[in-house]
């Protein structure tokens, strides 16, 4: 990555507020929320220079960031498409047809689970239980849960995201109201 | 419907706002609690008989009583909103629709425990719920329910949300604490228990969302009144999130002690099995509890009608019973394959194992492989015994209960549905109709 890695002033102000949520000297607690911010700001994934940057803000070792980033499934350590489609693959969703949804998306986008379309638009990722089993099968895109999905509604969804401002499809934890 | 203590106002338009919540009796329990001694609040919770709603069912008042109070060391209350147990979606429902109920519960529980900084640890996927909570917390600050000198009581509290990032294991309380400290979610060896040394080495109580929310009606009505609801040591109401092959999936608040048959078949609740199919089996308390075949769910081995309560569901131990667990209620109809369902859960536990203990890390992987082989029609008769053997060597030999959570479903599936495993092994050409789709090359086996 050649461009300079830096949070915007707005994000930086948020980072400072987040750090204040934890007792003095316990600022490492802000790491996971900060990695969400970093992922959002830097194209939806965590490249190692990004993680080094986060480490430098928290004044911790880079390895402390890597070991955390690699533990949590929401942190992407590889580039992802502008639109990350997360399909729940756990028991209840699976019982009610998630398997067909995955196949359908794979066929439609000509990619396999974990892959990104050549135009960089979509990444398909199967994930574990999203706590929405009553409206299974469920697909998450960005913040939004799409529930009771069928192959038809998946097609509509993909069409919709194709024309949307892709940035909105990533997590946006910025509008938090912290005292 | 029985008494609705938690969901009573869930459909009131605007209940997520402070004004509507207050207009419906909100923050009355807090006002009442702040006029009581802290120990009196704890006593009410003890009297209520409330048991932890996160899965283990540990008496909440007793847990609160254990919190250490060393001089000059801050204590913390942490709400477990990691809700990741497959089949469980009650906490999300509650927080999304009625965030102030949780916040009011957090404030009065923090008061009871003498905690001045509390956290709600919410799973990262639930970002939209996080925003709802943040907004509600801000409103509570603005109204003087949070911050310094709450309602003139002299009690101070800061309440913050903390976002996780996708890890089932962070629902385990010591893993959650590690995660809150900004680390990998590796469970800690106990003792010391969090009540003595939790987050940042300080005395900490971790409670489930529903547990905290239940303290509000308990303070409003008094512990003794609450204890009159339910049956025996299963007092009060419980949220059950029902899903799978049923007509009315959703979140229900039941009085503990409701008959299992009524819950499954009555139109007020699950409304019976979808598409006129037959009821085959149920995982009654989240994916970690033993699966029960239809007959053993409706009646205990002694032939008594089974009830939705801690005691009745576990009647018969693991031979013929199960657990109430988190209240994640997954129903399977006659078309569901027990083996395939088990394979899915086992794959889940393998994926979610933190990797600290060899029996869990390796055992879950072996079980997944063997189940994969069986599903592909390449299993051997000895594989069934091998599976049973592996699970028995995980059970009780790990740092945290995730190992058991992976082992029990395997043991119970083989115990109750051995025939089905044998059919896969003996007549694969008849059973294995669709090629086992989840072949290793198709779905990403996430790197450990
Ligand atoms: C693997 C594992 C996952 C867990 N997940 C959750 C969870 O998502 N939510 C929860 O409240 N408790 C969960 N628990 C239980 C917690 O460890 C803990 O017992 C609970 O939060 C205590 O709160 P309670 O007493 O109010 O139930 C989990 C336990 C294990 C072993
Ligand atoms: S039992 Fe599994 S999840 Fe729990 S600490 Fe051991 S390896 Fe980690």
């Amino acid at each position: 990555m050649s461009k300079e890695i830096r949070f915007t002033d707005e994000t930086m102000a948020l980072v400072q507020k987040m750090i204040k949520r934890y007792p003095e000297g316990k600022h490492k607690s802000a790491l996971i929320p900060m990695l969400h911010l970093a992922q959002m700001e830097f194209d939806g994934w965590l490249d190692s220079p990004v993680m080094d940057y986060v480490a430098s803000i928290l004044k911790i070792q880079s390895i402390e960031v890597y070991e955390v980033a690699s533990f949590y499934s929401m942190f992407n350590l590889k580039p992802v498409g502008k639109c990350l489609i997360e399909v729940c693959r756990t028991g209840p969703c699976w019982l009610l047809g998630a398997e067909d949804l995955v196949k359908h998306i794979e066929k439609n986008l000509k990619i396999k689970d974990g892959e990104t379309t050549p135009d960089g638009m979509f990444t398909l990722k199967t994930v574990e239980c999203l706590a929405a089993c009553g409206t299974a099968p469920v697909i998450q895109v960005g913040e939004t849960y799409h529930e009771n999905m069928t192959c038809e509604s998946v097609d509509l969804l993909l069409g919709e995201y194709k024309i949307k401002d892709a940035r909105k499809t990533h997590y946006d934890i910025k509008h938090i109201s912290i005292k | 419907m029985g008494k609705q203590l938690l969901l009573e106002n869930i459909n009131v338009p605007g209940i997520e706002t402070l004004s509507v919540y207050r207009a419906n009796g909100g923050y009355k329990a807090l006002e009442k609690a702040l006029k009581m001694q802290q120990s009196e609040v704890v006593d009410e919770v003890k009297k209520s008989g409330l048991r932890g709603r996160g899965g283990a069912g540990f008496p909440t008042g007793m847990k609160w009583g254990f919190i250490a109070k060393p001089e000059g060391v801050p204590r913390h209350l942490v709400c477990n909103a990691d809700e990741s147990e497959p089949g469980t979606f009650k906490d999300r429902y509650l927080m999304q629709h009625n965030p102030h109920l949780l916040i009011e519960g957090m404030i009065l529980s923090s008061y009871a425990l003498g905690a001045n900084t509390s956290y709600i640890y919410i799973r990262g996927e639930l970002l939209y719920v996080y925003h709802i909570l943040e907004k509600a917390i801000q409103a509570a600050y603005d109204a003087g329910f949070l911050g310094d000198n709450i309602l003139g009581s002299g009690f101070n509290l800061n309440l913050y949300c903390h976002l996780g990032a996708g890890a089932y294991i962070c629902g385990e309380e010591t893993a959650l604490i590690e995660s809150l400290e900004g680390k990998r979610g590796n469970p800690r060896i106990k003792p010391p228990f969090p009540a003595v040394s939790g987050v940042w080495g300080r005395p900490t109580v971790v409670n489930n969302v529903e547990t905290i929310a239940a303290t509000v009606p308990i303070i409003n009505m008094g512990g003794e009144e609450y204890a009159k609801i339910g049956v025996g040591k299963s007092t009060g109401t419980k949220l059950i999130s029902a899903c799978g092959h049923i007509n009315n999936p959703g979140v229900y608040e039941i009085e503990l002690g409701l008959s299992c048959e009524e819950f499954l078949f009555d139109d007020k609740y699950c409304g019976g099995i979808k598409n006129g199919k037959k009821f085959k089996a149920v995982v009654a308390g989240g994916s970690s509890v033993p699966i029960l075949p239809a007959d053993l769910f409706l009646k205990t081995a002694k032939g008594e009608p089974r009830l939705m309560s801690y005691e009745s569901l576990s009647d018969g131990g693991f031979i013929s019973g199960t657990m109430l667990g988190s209240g994640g209620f997954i129903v399977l109809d006659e078309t569901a394959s027990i083996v395939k369902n088990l394979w899915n859960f086992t794959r889940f536990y393998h994926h979610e194992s933190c990797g600290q203990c060899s029996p869990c890390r390796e055992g879950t992987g072996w079980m997944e492989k063997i189940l994969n082989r069986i599903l592909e029609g390449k299993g051997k008769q000895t594989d069934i015994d091998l599976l049973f053997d592996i699970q028995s060597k995980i059970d009780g030999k790990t740092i945290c209960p995730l190992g058991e959570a992976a082992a029990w479903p395997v043991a119970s599936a083989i115990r109750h549905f051995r025939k089905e495993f044998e059919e896969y092994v003996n007549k694969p050409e008849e059973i294995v109709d669709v090629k086992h789709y989840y072949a290793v090359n198709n779905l990403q086996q996430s790197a450990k």
Side-chain angles (χ1 to χ4, degrees), chain A residues 95-96, chain B residues 244-246 273-282 330-338:
Chain A
L95 266 182
L96 295 173
Chain B
H245 296 134
I246 50 173
I273 310 299
K274 229 163 75 169
N275 301 328
K277 293 272 192 294
K278 275 205 209 98
F279 170 37
K280 180 173 183 178
V282 64
I330 312 166
V331 179
L332 310 188
D333 74 13
E334 56 187 321
T335 64
S337 158
I338 299 292

Side-chain angles (χ1 to χ4, degrees), chain A residues 21-22 29 67 72 131, chain B residues 92 119 162 180 183-184 347:
Chain A
R21 290 185 162 194
Y22 311 97
S29 286
E67 65 172 12
Y72 295 91
Chain B
R92 177 177 77 101
Y119 297 91
H162 179 97
L180 183 54
K183 302 183 205 148
R184 295 165 76 91
R347 181 200 54 71

Side-chain angles (χ1 to χ4, degrees), chain B residues 169 186-187 352-358 360-361 398-403:
Chain B
I169 190 59
N186 288 342
E352 298 300 325
S353 166
C354 84
Q356 285 190 106
C357 326
S358 332
C360 170
R361 182 188 62 238
T398 55
I399 294 176
C400 91
L402 186 138

Side-chain angles (χ1 to χ4, degrees), chain B residues 52-54 63 80 83-84 168 171-173 206-208 211 401:
Chain B
R53 303 300 195 218
K63 188 187 228 175
N80 188 342
E83 189 164 66
S84 316
Y168 166 65
E172 195 282 332
E173 57 183 7
V206 179
N207 271 133
N208 174 257
T211 312

Side-chain angles (χ1 to χ4, degrees), chain B residues 378-397:
Chain B
K378 296 179 197 144
K380 294 178 289 237
Q381 184 73 29
T382 47
D383 280 344
I384 305 171
D385 297 322
L386 187 56
L387 268 180
F388 201 88
D389 187 57
I390 295 172
Q391 72 76 28
S392 72
K393 285 170 180 159
I394 301 175
D395 193 358
K397 296 176 182 65

Side-chain angles (χ1 to χ4, degrees), chain B residues 50-60 63-64 78-85 88 90-91 123 167-176 187 190 205-212 288 310 325-326 348-349 352 400-403 405:
Chain B
L50 175 67
R51 293 166 67 172
R53 303 300 195 218
F58 192 83
T60 306
K63 188 187 228 175
W64 288 11
V78 180
C79 173
N80 188 342
D82 192 55
E83 189 164 66
S84 316
E85 171 92 356
T88 316
K90 62 186 177 81
D91 299 337
R123 61 180 296 187
Y168 166 65
I169 190 59
C170 289
E172 195 282 332
E173 57 183 7
T174 59
L176 183 144
K190 296 192 257 191
V205 164
V206 179
N207 271 133
N208 174 257
V209 171
E210 186 189 346
T211 312
I212 300 278
S288 307
Y310 292 97
S326 63
F348 170 80
Y349 289 111
E352 298 300 325
C400 91
L402 186 138

Side-chain angles (χ1 to χ4, degrees), chain A residues 18 20-24 26 28-33 36 64 66-68 70-75 78 89-92 94-96 99 102-103 106 112-114 124-135 140 142-145 147 171-179, chain B residues 83-84 86-89 92 119 123-128 130-131 134-135 138 141 158 160-167 169-170 179-186 200 202 242-245 249 274 330-332 336 340 343-345 347-348 351-352 354 437-438 442-444 446:
Chain A
M18 271 181 178
K20 290 214 185 77
R21 290 185 162 194
Y22 311 97
E24 228 181 297
K26 310 296 179 194
K28 190 178 167 184
S29 286
L31 176 56
I32 292 172
H36 277 297
E64 294 178 78
Y66 302 162
E67 65 172 12
V68 165
S70 60
F71 186 84
Y72 295 91
S73 65
M74 286 179 71
F75 295 133
K78 283 188 312 193
R89 66 179 182 192
T90 320
W94 208 247
L95 266 182
L96 295 173
E99 189 171 6
V102 175
K103 277 190 217 172
E106 287 183 337
K112 295 247 176 275
D113 180 23
L124 172 64
K125 183 174 172 185
T126 54
V127 296
E128 303 298 353
C129 187
L130 291 171
C133 326
T135 43
Q140 178 165 24
E143 266 186 58
T144 313
Y145 274 39
E147 302 170 87
Y171 269 59
D172 183 358
I173 77 169
K174 280 203 172 166
H175 42 100
I176 58 179
S177 42
I178 312 177
K179 204 179 84 99
Chain B
E83 189 164 66
S84 316
T88 316
F89 49 98
R92 177 177 77 101
Y119 297 91
R123 61 180 296 187
E125 291 87 342
L126 291 182
L127 187 64
Y128 78 98
Y130 175 87
H131 292 316
E134 286 280 346
K135 221 169 136 186
Q138 189 63 56
Y141 269 110
N158 281 318
Y160 301 114
C161 288
H162 179 97
L163 204 57
I169 190 59
C170 289
S179 184
L180 183 54
E181 292 183 359
K183 302 183 205 148
R184 295 165 76 91
N186 288 342
W200 308 303
R202 301 169 177 182
C243 62
H245 296 134
K274 229 163 75 169
I330 312 166
V331 179
L332 310 188
K340 194 162 177 181
W343 160 81
N344 189 299
F345 284 149
R347 181 200 54 71
F348 170 80
H351 182 256
E352 298 300 325
C354 84
Y437 170 69
Y438 226 107
N442 252 339
L443 277 197
Q444 173 196 21
S446 316

